[in-house]
Amino acid sequence: MVDPGSEPASRPEVVDPVSEPVARAEPAEPVGVSAGLPVGASVGGPGGAVLGDPAAGPGSGPRRPEARTGVAALSPRYQVGAALALAVVAVAVCVHVGMVFLHVAPPNTVSKAHGKAIDDWMYPEFEQNWKLFAPNPLQQNIAVQVRAQVRTVDGGSRTTGWYDLSAQDGRAIDGNLLPSHTEQNELRRAWDFFTATHDNDNRPVGLRGALSETYLRRIVTLRLERGGAAGDGGVVERIQVRSQTTNVTPPKWSTEKVSTSPVYRVLSWWSLPDGETEGGAR
């Protein structure tokens, strides 16, 4: 029995589970979480990996910036150079298009005031014509031929036969899927330039007539040099150019009658300057 006057015996202390929490192990920091950043913060801006997000994978972290390509990859100095080069090309294209427009357009105030500058820009490389779109297109075959007077090694002189330069270009173009622009147009345009600046007696009309003679002479002289017309040790002293014009035969259903006999336009002999002999033509 227990004495009522005595102090009760000490009881074992009962711990209230609600009032005192039990110590638990701290969760491990998610892999890839940077120190000092809260869980859930995104790295790399919008669309970046979310720290602590299991879906981001164990190796997710800050993304590297994408490498720049093209002009943006150049240094500022080279970017300025590229911009200047592009500006120069754009200006040249605009000037060329403007010159072509003024050349083919009907006479106007600008073309009359700056006609010489326009002609100097266009001739002979960029000359334009509308023969293909004319109501009556060109219906003739025109061949440019040349022969040469050669000084031989022993001091004698001989005259070669006629070289059909147009036929040579035709053979080079026939069957060629990518024919040379030179083979197609150089000789033809040189002859058109000559006939447009000379009268029927082959006399030059204006300053461009002399220019067309020089242009045509250099082309045919270079062709002769390449073809070995002078022979071993020989030198071309003079050349003579002619054209052979033949009408195109009308189709069978046409009632048009044309002559098929060739017509020749023979120029005078041209003496070659010292700079154009012995392979000096350029």
Side-chain angles (χ1 to χ4, degrees):
M1 294 184 63
V2 178
D3 186 359
S6 61
E7 294 182 359
S10 60
R11 299 179 180 178
E13 185 177 3
V14 179
V15 179
D16 187 356
V18 177
S19 59
E20 185 173 341
V22 179
R24 298 179 180 178
E26 293 293 336
E29 184 179 9
V31 178
V33 176
S34 300
L37 294 179
V39 176
S42 61
V43 178
V50 178
L51 297 179
D53 186 2
S60 62
R63 294 184 178 179
R64 295 182 179 179
E66 297 182 358
R68 295 182 298 178
T69 59
V71 179
L74 301 175
S75 64
R77 182 177 60 181
Y78 288 103
Q79 288 182 2
V80 173
L84 291 177
L86 182 60
V88 171
V89 172
V91 171
V93 170
C94 292
V95 171
H96 180 69
V97 172
M99 290 293 188
V100 172
F101 173 78
L102 292 174
H103 178 71
V104 301
N108 53 72
T109 304
V110 178
S111 61
K112 291 179 180 179
H114 305 283
K116 186 178 184 306
I118 296 172
D119 290 343
D120 291 342
W121 181 277
M122 295 300 300
Y123 292 107
E125 286 82 4
F126 305 118
E127 183 181 2
Q128 306 290 317
N129 67 79
W130 302 102
K131 291 181 180 179
L132 180 62
F133 305 99
N136 187 21
L138 186 64
Q139 299 178 354
Q140 297 173 328
N141 289 323
I142 301 176
V144 179
Q145 303 171 349
V146 63
R147 64 177 178 176
Q149 190 175 54
V150 180
R151 184 178 74 248
T152 59
V153 179
D154 56 5
S157 179
R158 66 180 178 87
T159 302
T160 66
W162 289 99
Y163 291 88
D164 195 335
L165 304 182
S166 297
Q168 295 176 5
D169 289 346
R171 288 192 295 269
I173 295 171
D174 189 22
N176 191 346
L177 297 179
L178 298 173
S180 168
H181 178 75
T182 301
E183 293 169 345
Q184 294 181 83
N185 299 315
E186 183 183 54
L187 181 64
R188 179 180 61 86
R189 299 303 298 132
W191 181 252
D192 288 345
F193 185 26
F194 178 87
T195 57
T197 55
H198 287 71
D199 58 20
N200 293 331
D201 295 326
N202 300 324
R203 291 188 298 234
V205 179
L207 297 177
R208 293 176 58 235
L211 175 62
S212 66
E213 289 183 6
T214 303
Y215 186 57
L216 179 62
R217 187 182 69 243
R218 289 182 176 179
I219 290 176
V220 298
T221 302
L222 186 59
R223 297 285 187 92
L224 290 173
E225 293 290 343
R226 289 176 177 174
D232 295 337
V235 177
V236 177
E237 292 185 321
R238 299 197 303 166
I239 62 172
Q240 187 177 32
V241 180
R242 75 177 184 182
S243 67
Q244 175 183 298
T245 303
T246 307
N247 292 320
V248 176
T249 305
K252 295 181 179 180
W253 48 263
S254 176
T255 59
E256 183 180 4
K257 302 296 182 180
V258 297
S259 175
T260 57
S261 300
V263 177
Y264 294 94
R265 180 175 179 174
V266 184
L267 308 185
S268 302
W269 283 92
W270 287 337
S271 297
L272 299 183
D274 295 337
E276 295 183 15
T277 58
E278 300 181 359
R282 293 291 183 270

